[in-house]
Amino acid sequence: MTMILSFNEFKKSEYSRNPHFLVIGNPIGHSLSPLMHQAALDFHDINAQYHAVDLAQADITDFIGWLNRDEFLGCNITIPYKNQFIKVVDHIDSYSSEAGVINTIAKSDHKLIGHNTDIHGFTSPLLQYIDQIEGGRVIVFGTGGAAKAVKIGLEDLGVEEIIFVSRTPEKSNLNSDHIWVETVSYDQWQSYVDETSMFVNTTPLGMSPNIGRSPISEFDGKLLGKKICYDLIYNPIQTKFLKQADEFGAITINGLDMLIMQGNRSFEIWTGKTFPLDRIKKLLINTLK
Ligand code: NAP
């Protein structure tokens, strides 16, 4: 079981005196990162531990000071801090600069480097479908933080058109200098289906405990037939959206691979080694069950 510590508890604990990686967020109880990263550290016999720290806003300044300690090796950053640490680090990678958010801090020559590994996590499971996606149109439900990472990932994969679907399309600020981007309402996306190769759900609809929800109505389920349907949600592993897609013969991708591959990229940046992927996938599936 993952132990959750406040920053003060962490500082006072023996863990803080040993080499460590952290994931910070608030709340952080749901995070599967400690499980996968500790398993990978143990697998490679790396002398370090990975802990979850529930960071209060009031502790941020104190935490920033902590980043320069020798025992601190790196961290993952999750909600609500993904766009707060970009100003704290010395350098950022190109994905972070495009997305305006970082989810990973690494150290190099005593400098703090910010990375965004969510985009890599999103695109990794799609590489095997590149022929179907490249040059085509994708419909994306939701226009939040994850949708922005999805947009950059799809641009990278050579998608030519993205149709975002929003409850309030007039408020969308998703656009692109490189490809055609449009935001439409839940009554309009149906007319874009013909030229579409893939649907992506970036809304929380269907996430545990509200597992009966989906961005697609029962009536529209048939429109998913033979397309690629990708849900960013990993709990449950098979969402209602993916069940609808399955029913109509679509190719389905769940959010677990994205979660693992973003973690794998962070781990690679920190240690130069990769996750034992099969072992970690089994571990997470058993935990989510
Ligand atoms: P978010 O900002 O809270 O929500 C995303 C968007 O979904 C919102 O901007 C909103 O778009 C739409 N939405 C929210 N509530 C809705 C509702 N009740 N009905 C219809 N639409 C709704 O979340 P996020 O950070 O982008 O994350 C989105 C999902 O991706 C979450 O389920 C998260 O767990 C998952 N995720 C997974 C991974 C992974 O590694 N697998 C990584 C990141 C995120 P509109 O206002 O435009 O309708």
Side-chain angles (χ1 to χ4, degrees), residues 11-48:
K11 279 194 305 184
K12 285 186 205 143
S13 73
E14 62 179 290
Y15 308 127
S16 67
R17 294 187 283 281
N18 296 315
H20 55 264
F21 296 96
L22 301 175
V23 55
I24 55 153
N26 185 331
I28 195 70
H30 64 281
S31 178
L32 293 170
S33 293
L35 202 62
M36 32 182 203
H37 283 282
Q38 193 60 57
L41 289 167
D42 294 345
F43 178 83
H44 289 292
D45 240 341
I46 295 171
N47 175 29

PDB file of all heavy atoms in Angstrom, residues 11-48:
ATOM      1  N   LYS A  11       9.558  15.509   5.668  1.00  0.00           N
ATOM      2  CA  LYS A  11      10.831  16.122   6.083  1.00  0.00           C
ATOM      3  C   LYS A  11      11.354  15.520   7.390  1.00  0.00           C
ATOM      4  O   LYS A  11      12.548  15.364   7.577  1.00  0.00           O
ATOM      5  CB  LYS A  11      10.636  17.633   6.280  1.00  0.00           C
ATOM      6  CG  LYS A  11      10.687  18.404   4.980  1.00  0.00           C
ATOM      7  CD  LYS A  11      10.834  19.886   5.213  1.00  0.00           C
ATOM      8  CE  LYS A  11       9.761  20.431   6.116  1.00  0.00           C
ATOM      9  NZ  LYS A  11       9.810  21.873   6.304  1.00  0.00           N
ATOM     10  N   LYS A  12      10.411  15.211   8.292  1.00  0.00           N
ATOM     11  CA  LYS A  12      10.815  14.670   9.601  1.00  0.00           C
ATOM     12  C   LYS A  12      11.138  13.179   9.526  1.00  0.00           C
ATOM     13  O   LYS A  12      11.738  12.631  10.437  1.00  0.00           O
ATOM     14  CB  LYS A  12       9.680  14.873  10.611  1.00  0.00           C
ATOM     15  CG  LYS A  12       9.549  16.322  11.076  1.00  0.00           C
ATOM     16  CD  LYS A  12       8.504  16.405  12.171  1.00  0.00           C
ATOM     17  CE  LYS A  12       7.908  17.795  12.227  1.00  0.00           C
ATOM     18  NZ  LYS A  12       6.488  17.806  12.523  1.00  0.00           N
ATOM     19  N   SER A  13      10.724  12.523   8.456  1.00  0.00           N
ATOM     20  CA  SER A  13      10.884  11.067   8.383  1.00  0.00           C
ATOM     21  C   SER A  13      12.311  10.695   7.970  1.00  0.00           C
ATOM     22  O   SER A  13      13.040  11.501   7.400  1.00  0.00           O
ATOM     23  CB  SER A  13       9.894  10.479   7.385  1.00  0.00           C
ATOM     24  OG  SER A  13      10.322  10.793   6.070  1.00  0.00           O
ATOM     25  N   GLU A  14      12.648   9.439   8.225  1.00  0.00           N
ATOM     26  CA  GLU A  14      13.971   8.944   7.811  1.00  0.00           C
ATOM     27  C   GLU A  14      14.102   8.912   6.288  1.00  0.00           C
ATOM     28  O   GLU A  14      15.192   8.985   5.743  1.00  0.00           O
ATOM     29  CB  GLU A  14      14.215   7.549   8.397  1.00  0.00           C
ATOM     30  CG  GLU A  14      13.199   6.560   7.879  1.00  0.00           C
ATOM     31  CD  GLU A  14      13.382   5.150   8.381  1.00  0.00           C
ATOM     32  OE1 GLU A  14      14.352   4.511   7.964  1.00  0.00           O
ATOM     33  OE2 GLU A  14      12.525   4.713   9.176  1.00  0.00           O
ATOM     34  N   TYR A  15      12.943   8.817   5.584  1.00  0.00           N
ATOM     35  CA  TYR A  15      12.984   8.739   4.115  1.00  0.00           C
ATOM     36  C   TYR A  15      13.677   9.961   3.516  1.00  0.00           C
ATOM     37  O   TYR A  15      14.326   9.870   2.490  1.00  0.00           O
ATOM     38  CB  TYR A  15      11.566   8.667   3.524  1.00  0.00           C
ATOM     39  CG  TYR A  15      10.707   7.591   4.125  1.00  0.00           C
ATOM     40  CD1 TYR A  15       9.445   7.894   4.646  1.00  0.00           C
ATOM     41  CD2 TYR A  15      11.143   6.278   4.181  1.00  0.00           C
ATOM     42  CE1 TYR A  15       8.651   6.905   5.207  1.00  0.00           C
ATOM     43  CE2 TYR A  15      10.356   5.290   4.742  1.00  0.00           C
ATOM     44  CZ  TYR A  15       9.113   5.606   5.251  1.00  0.00           C
ATOM     45  OH  TYR A  15       8.339   4.640   5.804  1.00  0.00           O
ATOM     46  N   SER A  16      13.505  11.115   4.172  1.00  0.00           N
ATOM     47  CA  SER A  16      14.042  12.353   3.601  1.00  0.00           C
ATOM     48  C   SER A  16      15.567  12.372   3.644  1.00  0.00           C
ATOM     49  O   SER A  16      16.192  13.150   2.940  1.00  0.00           O
ATOM     50  CB  SER A  16      13.482  13.560   4.355  1.00  0.00           C
ATOM     51  OG  SER A  16      13.987  13.566   5.670  1.00  0.00           O
ATOM     52  N   ARG A  17      16.172  11.514   4.473  1.00  0.00           N
ATOM     53  CA  ARG A  17      17.631  11.518   4.597  1.00  0.00           C
ATOM     54  C   ARG A  17      18.296  10.542   3.620  1.00  0.00           C
ATOM     55  O   ARG A  17      19.507  10.467   3.532  1.00  0.00           O
ATOM     56  CB  ARG A  17      18.032  11.208   6.049  1.00  0.00           C
ATOM     57  CG  ARG A  17      17.596  12.313   7.007  1.00  0.00           C
ATOM     58  CD  ARG A  17      18.116  12.106   8.408  1.00  0.00           C
ATOM     59  NE  ARG A  17      17.367  11.099   9.148  1.00  0.00           N
ATOM     60  CZ  ARG A  17      16.181  11.315   9.733  1.00  0.00           C
ATOM     61  NH1 ARG A  17      15.630  12.511   9.668  1.00  0.00           N
ATOM     62  NH2 ARG A  17      15.560  10.354  10.379  1.00  0.00           N
ATOM     63  N   ASN A  18      17.456   9.790   2.901  1.00  0.00           N
ATOM     64  CA  ASN A  18      17.979   8.840   1.908  1.00  0.00           C
ATOM     65  C   ASN A  18      17.639   9.339   0.501  1.00  0.00           C
ATOM     66  O   ASN A  18      16.715  10.143   0.329  1.00  0.00           O
ATOM     67  CB  ASN A  18      17.346   7.463   2.129  1.00  0.00           C
ATOM     68  CG  ASN A  18      17.754   6.893   3.479  1.00  0.00           C
ATOM     69  OD1 ASN A  18      18.922   6.961   3.844  1.00  0.00           O
ATOM     70  ND2 ASN A  18      16.800   6.380   4.230  1.00  0.00           N
ATOM     71  N   PRO A  19      18.344   8.841  -0.504  1.00  0.00           N
ATOM     72  CA  PRO A  19      18.050   9.290  -1.877  1.00  0.00           C
ATOM     73  C   PRO A  19      16.581   9.009  -2.229  1.00  0.00           C
ATOM     74  O   PRO A  19      16.095   7.900  -1.992  1.00  0.00           O
ATOM     75  CB  PRO A  19      18.973   8.422  -2.741  1.00  0.00           C
ATOM     76  CG  PRO A  19      20.000   7.879  -1.816  1.00  0.00           C
ATOM     77  CD  PRO A  19      19.416   7.844  -0.457  1.00  0.00           C
ATOM     78  N   HIS A  20      15.914  10.023  -2.787  1.00  0.00           N
ATOM     79  CA  HIS A  20      14.478   9.823  -3.037  1.00  0.00           C
ATOM     80  C   HIS A  20      13.980  10.547  -4.283  1.00  0.00           C
ATOM     81  O   HIS A  20      14.485  11.591  -4.664  1.00  0.00           O
ATOM     82  CB  HIS A  20      13.644  10.272  -1.831  1.00  0.00           C
ATOM     83  CG  HIS A  20      13.896  11.681  -1.416  1.00  0.00           C
ATOM     84  ND1 HIS A  20      14.784  12.025  -0.410  1.00  0.00           N
ATOM     85  CD2 HIS A  20      13.389  12.862  -1.863  1.00  0.00           C
ATOM     86  CE1 HIS A  20      14.800  13.328  -0.268  1.00  0.00           C
ATOM     87  NE2 HIS A  20      13.977  13.871  -1.131  1.00  0.00           N
ATOM     88  N   PHE A  21      12.949   9.928  -4.868  1.00  0.00           N
ATOM     89  CA  PHE A  21      12.113  10.560  -5.880  1.00  0.00           C
ATOM     90  C   PHE A  21      10.751  10.776  -5.221  1.00  0.00           C
ATOM     91  O   PHE A  21      10.368  10.031  -4.321  1.00  0.00           O
ATOM     92  CB  PHE A  21      11.926   9.646  -7.095  1.00  0.00           C
ATOM     93  CG  PHE A  21      13.192   9.355  -7.840  1.00  0.00           C
ATOM     94  CD1 PHE A  21      13.915   8.189  -7.590  1.00  0.00           C
ATOM     95  CD2 PHE A  21      13.666  10.242  -8.794  1.00  0.00           C
ATOM     96  CE1 PHE A  21      15.088   7.917  -8.285  1.00  0.00           C
ATOM     97  CE2 PHE A  21      14.830   9.973  -9.496  1.00  0.00           C
ATOM     98  CZ  PHE A  21      15.544   8.807  -9.241  1.00  0.00           C
ATOM     99  N   LEU A  22      10.015  11.781  -5.685  1.00  0.00           N
ATOM    100  CA  LEU A  22       8.701  12.065  -5.096  1.00  0.00           C
ATOM    101  C   LEU A  22       7.652  12.245  -6.194  1.00  0.00           C
ATOM    102  O   LEU A  22       7.988  12.558  -7.340  1.00  0.00           O
ATOM    103  CB  LEU A  22       8.748  13.372  -4.284  1.00  0.00           C
ATOM    104  CG  LEU A  22       9.747  13.437  -3.125  1.00  0.00           C
ATOM    105  CD1 LEU A  22       9.744  14.842  -2.517  1.00  0.00           C
ATOM    106  CD2 LEU A  22       9.419  12.401  -2.053  1.00  0.00           C
ATOM    107  N   VAL A  23       6.389  12.054  -5.800  1.00  0.00           N
ATOM    108  CA  VAL A  23       5.302  12.606  -6.614  1.00  0.00           C
ATOM    109  C   VAL A  23       4.568  13.565  -5.687  1.00  0.00           C
ATOM    110  O   VAL A  23       4.257  13.225  -4.545  1.00  0.00           O
ATOM    111  CB  VAL A  23       4.358  11.526  -7.195  1.00  0.00           C
ATOM    112  CG1 VAL A  23       3.751  10.605  -6.155  1.00  0.00           C
ATOM    113  CG2 VAL A  23       3.238  12.197  -8.026  1.00  0.00           C
ATOM    114  N   ILE A  24       4.330  14.781  -6.193  1.00  0.00           N
ATOM    115  CA  ILE A  24       3.626  15.772  -5.372  1.00  0.00           C
ATOM    116  C   ILE A  24       2.293  16.129  -6.030  1.00  0.00           C
ATOM    117  O   ILE A  24       2.185  16.195  -7.262  1.00  0.00           O
ATOM    118  CB  ILE A  24       4.463  17.052  -5.155  1.00  0.00           C
ATOM    119  CG1 ILE A  24       4.899  17.652  -6.511  1.00  0.00           C
ATOM    120  CG2 ILE A  24       5.653  16.800  -4.254  1.00  0.00           C
ATOM    121  CD1 ILE A  24       5.113  19.134  -6.449  1.00  0.00           C
ATOM    122  N   GLY A  25       1.297  16.364  -5.210  1.00  0.00           N
ATOM    123  CA  GLY A  25      -0.024  16.743  -5.697  1.00  0.00           C
ATOM    124  C   GLY A  25      -0.916  16.970  -4.497  1.00  0.00           C
ATOM    125  O   GLY A  25      -0.474  16.845  -3.356  1.00  0.00           O
ATOM    126  N   ASN A  26      -2.169  17.308  -4.762  1.00  0.00           N
ATOM    127  CA  ASN A  26      -3.105  17.532  -3.655  1.00  0.00           C
ATOM    128  C   ASN A  26      -4.539  17.450  -4.194  1.00  0.00           C
ATOM    129  O   ASN A  26      -4.958  18.372  -4.877  1.00  0.00           O
ATOM    130  CB  ASN A  26      -2.819  18.910  -3.043  1.00  0.00           C
ATOM    131  CG  ASN A  26      -3.661  19.167  -1.810  1.00  0.00           C
ATOM    132  OD1 ASN A  26      -4.773  18.655  -1.691  1.00  0.00           O
ATOM    133  ND2 ASN A  26      -3.144  19.957  -0.900  1.00  0.00           N
ATOM    134  N   PRO A  27      -5.264  16.361  -3.979  1.00  0.00           N
ATOM    135  CA  PRO A  27      -4.851  15.198  -3.178  1.00  0.00           C
ATOM    136  C   PRO A  27      -3.959  14.267  -3.995  1.00  0.00           C
ATOM    137  O   PRO A  27      -3.909  14.369  -5.222  1.00  0.00           O
ATOM    138  CB  PRO A  27      -6.191  14.522  -2.900  1.00  0.00           C
ATOM    139  CG  PRO A  27      -7.039  14.859  -4.088  1.00  0.00           C
ATOM    140  CD  PRO A  27      -6.617  16.230  -4.522  1.00  0.00           C
ATOM    141  N   ILE A  28      -3.293  13.333  -3.320  1.00  0.00           N
ATOM    142  CA  ILE A  28      -2.345  12.459  -4.011  1.00  0.00           C
ATOM    143  C   ILE A  28      -2.633  10.983  -3.739  1.00  0.00           C
ATOM    144  O   ILE A  28      -1.985  10.094  -4.298  1.00  0.00           O
ATOM    145  CB  ILE A  28      -0.890  12.855  -3.591  1.00  0.00           C
ATOM    146  CG1 ILE A  28       0.167  12.266  -4.508  1.00  0.00           C
ATOM    147  CG2 ILE A  28      -0.613  12.521  -2.141  1.00  0.00           C
ATOM    148  CD1 ILE A  28       0.199  12.845  -5.869  1.00  0.00           C
ATOM    149  N   GLY A  29      -3.669  10.730  -2.921  1.00  0.00           N
ATOM    150  CA  GLY A  29      -3.979   9.364  -2.488  1.00  0.00           C
ATOM    151  C   GLY A  29      -4.241   8.391  -3.629  1.00  0.00           C
ATOM    152  O   GLY A  29      -3.982   7.204  -3.510  1.00  0.00           O
ATOM    153  N   HIS A  30      -4.761   8.901  -4.767  1.00  0.00           N
ATOM    154  CA  HIS A  30      -5.118   8.015  -5.874  1.00  0.00           C
ATOM    155  C   HIS A  30      -3.906   7.610  -6.709  1.00  0.00           C
ATOM    156  O   HIS A  30      -4.015   6.763  -7.585  1.00  0.00           O
ATOM    157  CB  HIS A  30      -6.102   8.766  -6.790  1.00  0.00           C
ATOM    158  CG  HIS A  30      -5.440   9.959  -7.414  1.00  0.00           C
ATOM    159  ND1 HIS A  30      -5.259  11.147  -6.730  1.00  0.00           N
ATOM    160  CD2 HIS A  30      -4.841  10.119  -8.616  1.00  0.00           C
ATOM    161  CE1 HIS A  30      -4.599  11.991  -7.513  1.00  0.00           C
ATOM    162  NE2 HIS A  30      -4.340  11.398  -8.659  1.00  0.00           N
ATOM    163  N   SER A  31      -2.756   8.237  -6.490  1.00  0.00           N
ATOM    164  CA  SER A  31      -1.638   8.073  -7.430  1.00  0.00           C
ATOM    165  C   SER A  31      -1.077   6.644  -7.439  1.00  0.00           C
ATOM    166  O   SER A  31      -0.820   6.060  -6.393  1.00  0.00           O
ATOM    167  CB  SER A  31      -0.515   9.051  -7.084  1.00  0.00           C
ATOM    168  OG  SER A  31       0.562   8.852  -7.963  1.00  0.00           O
ATOM    169  N   LEU A  32      -0.877   6.137  -8.657  1.00  0.00           N
ATOM    170  CA  LEU A  32      -0.270   4.807  -8.807  1.00  0.00           C
ATOM    171  C   LEU A  32       1.234   4.938  -9.065  1.00  0.00           C
ATOM    172  O   LEU A  32       1.930   3.943  -9.227  1.00  0.00           O
ATOM    173  CB  LEU A  32      -0.933   4.067  -9.971  1.00  0.00           C
ATOM    174  CG  LEU A  32      -2.409   3.687  -9.744  1.00  0.00           C
ATOM    175  CD1 LEU A  32      -3.039   3.177 -11.030  1.00  0.00           C
ATOM    176  CD2 LEU A  32      -2.529   2.625  -8.653  1.00  0.00           C
ATOM    177  N   SER A  33       1.730   6.181  -9.105  1.00  0.00           N
ATOM    178  CA  SER A  33       3.146   6.397  -9.424  1.00  0.00           C
ATOM    179  C   SER A  33       4.095   5.739  -8.418  1.00  0.00           C
ATOM    180  O   SER A  33       5.084   5.125  -8.834  1.00  0.00           O
ATOM    181  CB  SER A  33       3.443   7.893  -9.527  1.00  0.00           C
ATOM    182  OG  SER A  33       2.768   8.423 -10.632  1.00  0.00           O
ATOM    183  N   PRO A  34       3.839   5.839  -7.089  1.00  0.00           N
ATOM    184  CA  PRO A  34       4.780   5.188  -6.153  1.00  0.00           C
ATOM    185  C   PRO A  34       4.922   3.698  -6.425  1.00  0.00           C
ATOM    186  O   PRO A  34       6.033   3.152  -6.398  1.00  0.00           O
ATOM    187  CB  PRO A  34       4.148   5.449  -4.778  1.00  0.00           C
ATOM    188  CG  PRO A  34       3.358   6.698  -4.958  1.00  0.00           C
ATOM    189  CD  PRO A  34       2.816   6.612  -6.365  1.00  0.00           C
ATOM    190  N   LEU A  35       3.798   3.057  -6.737  1.00  0.00           N
ATOM    191  CA  LEU A  35       3.804   1.619  -6.987  1.00  0.00           C
ATOM    192  C   LEU A  35       4.690   1.279  -8.187  1.00  0.00           C
ATOM    193  O   LEU A  35       5.558   0.410  -8.127  1.00  0.00           O
ATOM    194  CB  LEU A  35       2.354   1.204  -7.262  1.00  0.00           C
ATOM    195  CG  LEU A  35       1.975  -0.226  -7.058  1.00  0.00           C
ATOM    196  CD1 LEU A  35       2.171  -0.628  -5.616  1.00  0.00           C
ATOM    197  CD2 LEU A  35       0.497  -0.411  -7.455  1.00  0.00           C
ATOM    198  N   MET A  36       4.481   1.997  -9.303  1.00  0.00           N
ATOM    199  CA  MET A  36       5.249   1.620 -10.499  1.00  0.00           C
ATOM    200  C   MET A  36       6.717   2.028 -10.402  1.00  0.00           C
ATOM    201  O   MET A  36       7.595   1.268 -10.793  1.00  0.00           O
ATOM    202  CB  MET A  36       4.632   2.088 -11.810  1.00  0.00           C
ATOM    203  CG  MET A  36       3.881   3.317 -11.899  1.00  0.00           C
ATOM    204  SD  MET A  36       3.246   3.513 -13.579  1.00  0.00           S
ATOM    205  CE  MET A  36       3.046   5.276 -13.561  1.00  0.00           C
ATOM    206  N   HIS A  37       6.978   3.218  -9.857  1.00  0.00           N
ATOM    207  CA  HIS A  37       8.379   3.651  -9.802  1.00  0.00           C
ATOM    208  C   HIS A  37       9.190   2.844  -8.782  1.00  0.00           C
ATOM    209  O   HIS A  37      10.353   2.520  -9.031  1.00  0.00           O
ATOM    210  CB  HIS A  37       8.451   5.151  -9.495  1.00  0.00           C
ATOM    211  CG  HIS A  37       8.135   5.993 -10.693  1.00  0.00           C
ATOM    212  ND1 HIS A  37       9.032   6.212 -11.707  1.00  0.00           N
ATOM    213  CD2 HIS A  37       7.002   6.631 -11.064  1.00  0.00           C
ATOM    214  CE1 HIS A  37       8.488   6.962 -12.644  1.00  0.00           C
ATOM    215  NE2 HIS A  37       7.239   7.233 -12.267  1.00  0.00           N
ATOM    216  N   GLN A  38       8.570   2.513  -7.633  1.00  0.00           N
ATOM    217  CA  GLN A  38       9.323   1.730  -6.649  1.00  0.00           C
ATOM    218  C   GLN A  38       9.623   0.340  -7.200  1.00  0.00           C
ATOM    219  O   GLN A  38      10.717  -0.189  -7.011  1.00  0.00           O
ATOM    220  CB  GLN A  38       8.550   1.630  -5.319  1.00  0.00           C
ATOM    221  CG  GLN A  38       9.412   1.113  -4.163  1.00  0.00           C
ATOM    222  CD  GLN A  38      10.607   2.019  -3.883  1.00  0.00           C
ATOM    223  OE1 GLN A  38      10.453   3.207  -3.620  1.00  0.00           O
ATOM    224  NE2 GLN A  38      11.828   1.483  -3.944  1.00  0.00           N
ATOM    225  N   ALA A  39       8.642  -0.221  -7.922  1.00  0.00           N
ATOM    226  CA  ALA A  39       8.865  -1.547  -8.527  1.00  0.00           C
ATOM    227  C   ALA A  39      10.032  -1.481  -9.518  1.00  0.00           C
ATOM    228  O   ALA A  39      10.865  -2.388  -9.574  1.00  0.00           O
ATOM    229  CB  ALA A  39       7.598  -2.016  -9.237  1.00  0.00           C
ATOM    230  N   ALA A  40      10.107  -0.379 -10.281  1.00  0.00           N
ATOM    231  CA  ALA A  40      11.184  -0.247 -11.273  1.00  0.00           C
ATOM    232  C   ALA A  40      12.531  -0.004 -10.581  1.00  0.00           C
ATOM    233  O   ALA A  40      13.555  -0.554 -10.997  1.00  0.00           O
ATOM    234  CB  ALA A  40      10.861   0.887 -12.240  1.00  0.00           C
ATOM    235  N   LEU A  41      12.528   0.793  -9.523  1.00  0.00           N
ATOM    236  CA  LEU A  41      13.779   1.036  -8.785  1.00  0.00           C
ATOM    237  C   LEU A  41      14.294  -0.270  -8.195  1.00  0.00           C
ATOM    238  O   LEU A  41      15.490  -0.579  -8.281  1.00  0.00           O
ATOM    239  CB  LEU A  41      13.542   2.063  -7.651  1.00  0.00           C
ATOM    240  CG  LEU A  41      13.302   3.509  -8.090  1.00  0.00           C
ATOM    241  CD1 LEU A  41      12.777   4.359  -6.922  1.00  0.00           C
ATOM    242  CD2 LEU A  41      14.583   4.132  -8.659  1.00  0.00           C
ATOM    243  N   ASP A  42      13.386  -1.054  -7.601  1.00  0.00           N
ATOM    244  CA  ASP A  42      13.779  -2.341  -7.005  1.00  0.00           C
ATOM    245  C   ASP A  42      14.266  -3.303  -8.083  1.00  0.00           C
ATOM    246  O   ASP A  42      15.260  -3.999  -7.903  1.00  0.00           O
ATOM    247  CB  ASP A  42      12.600  -2.969  -6.238  1.00  0.00           C
ATOM    248  CG  ASP A  42      12.213  -2.128  -5.016  1.00  0.00           C
ATOM    249  OD1 ASP A  42      13.016  -1.256  -4.620  1.00  0.00           O
ATOM    250  OD2 ASP A  42      11.104  -2.334  -4.488  1.00  0.00           O
ATOM    251  N   PHE A  43      13.558  -3.313  -9.218  1.00  0.00           N
ATOM    252  CA  PHE A  43      13.920  -4.216 -10.316  1.00  0.00           C
ATOM    253  C   PHE A  43      15.361  -3.955 -10.771  1.00  0.00           C
ATOM    254  O   PHE A  43      16.110  -4.872 -11.051  1.00  0.00           O
ATOM    255  CB  PHE A  43      12.945  -4.020 -11.483  1.00  0.00           C
ATOM    256  CG  PHE A  43      13.251  -4.856 -12.682  1.00  0.00           C
ATOM    257  CD1 PHE A  43      12.832  -6.178 -12.751  1.00  0.00           C
ATOM    258  CD2 PHE A  43      13.959  -4.324 -13.756  1.00  0.00           C
ATOM    259  CE1 PHE A  43      13.117  -6.956 -13.868  1.00  0.00           C
ATOM    260  CE2 PHE A  43      14.253  -5.105 -14.870  1.00  0.00           C
ATOM    261  CZ  PHE A  43      13.825  -6.414 -14.924  1.00  0.00           C
ATOM    262  N   HIS A  44      15.723  -2.664 -10.843  1.00  0.00           N
ATOM    263  CA  HIS A  44      17.066  -2.310 -11.331  1.00  0.00           C
ATOM    264  C   HIS A  44      18.080  -2.176 -10.195  1.00  0.00           C
ATOM    265  O   HIS A  44      19.210  -1.746 -10.422  1.00  0.00           O
ATOM    266  CB  HIS A  44      17.010  -0.986 -12.111  1.00  0.00           C
ATOM    267  CG  HIS A  44      16.323  -1.107 -13.445  1.00  0.00           C
ATOM    268  ND1 HIS A  44      16.844  -1.814 -14.485  1.00  0.00           N
ATOM    269  CD2 HIS A  44      15.138  -0.602 -13.890  1.00  0.00           C
ATOM    270  CE1 HIS A  44      16.024  -1.745 -15.534  1.00  0.00           C
ATOM    271  NE2 HIS A  44      14.979  -1.018 -15.195  1.00  0.00           N
ATOM    272  N   ASP A  45      17.654  -2.508  -8.966  1.00  0.00           N
ATOM    273  CA  ASP A  45      18.557  -2.425  -7.805  1.00  0.00           C
ATOM    274  C   ASP A  45      19.124  -1.016  -7.615  1.00  0.00           C
ATOM    275  O   ASP A  45      20.305  -0.851  -7.329  1.00  0.00           O
ATOM    276  CB  ASP A  45      19.732  -3.397  -8.018  1.00  0.00           C
ATOM    277  CG  ASP A  45      19.753  -4.414  -6.902  1.00  0.00           C
ATOM    278  OD1 ASP A  45      19.142  -4.135  -5.865  1.00  0.00           O
ATOM    279  OD2 ASP A  45      20.405  -5.462  -7.089  1.00  0.00           O
ATOM    280  N   ILE A  46      18.294  -0.017  -7.821  1.00  0.00           N
ATOM    281  CA  ILE A  46      18.744   1.371  -7.662  1.00  0.00           C
ATOM    282  C   ILE A  46      18.484   1.786  -6.214  1.00  0.00           C
ATOM    283  O   ILE A  46      17.379   1.596  -5.688  1.00  0.00           O
ATOM    284  CB  ILE A  46      18.006   2.303  -8.648  1.00  0.00           C
ATOM    285  CG1 ILE A  46      18.388   1.925 -10.085  1.00  0.00           C
ATOM    286  CG2 ILE A  46      18.332   3.777  -8.366  1.00  0.00           C
ATOM    287  CD1 ILE A  46      17.575   2.625 -11.161  1.00  0.00           C
ATOM    288  N   ASN A  47      19.505   2.335  -5.583  1.00  0.00           N
ATOM    289  CA  ASN A  47      19.404   2.681  -4.172  1.00  0.00           C
ATOM    290  C   ASN A  47      18.657   4.009  -3.999  1.00  0.00           C
ATOM    291  O   ASN A  47      19.262   5.061  -3.810  1.00  0.00           O
ATOM    292  CB  ASN A  47      20.815   2.777  -3.571  1.00  0.00           C
ATOM    293  CG  ASN A  47      20.764   3.255  -2.135  1.00  0.00           C
ATOM    294  OD1 ASN A  47      19.775   3.020  -1.427  1.00  0.00           O
ATOM    295  ND2 ASN A  47      21.819   3.947  -1.699  1.00  0.00           N
ATOM    296  N   ALA A  48      17.337   3.952  -4.110  1.00  0.00           N
ATOM    297  CA  ALA A  48      16.511   5.153  -3.928  1.00  0.00           C
ATOM    298  C   ALA A  48      15.086   4.705  -3.658  1.00  0.00           C
ATOM    299  O   ALA A  48      14.705   3.589  -4.015  1.00  0.00           O
ATOM    300  CB  ALA A  48      16.551   6.010  -5.187  1.00  0.00           C
TER     301      ALA A  48
END
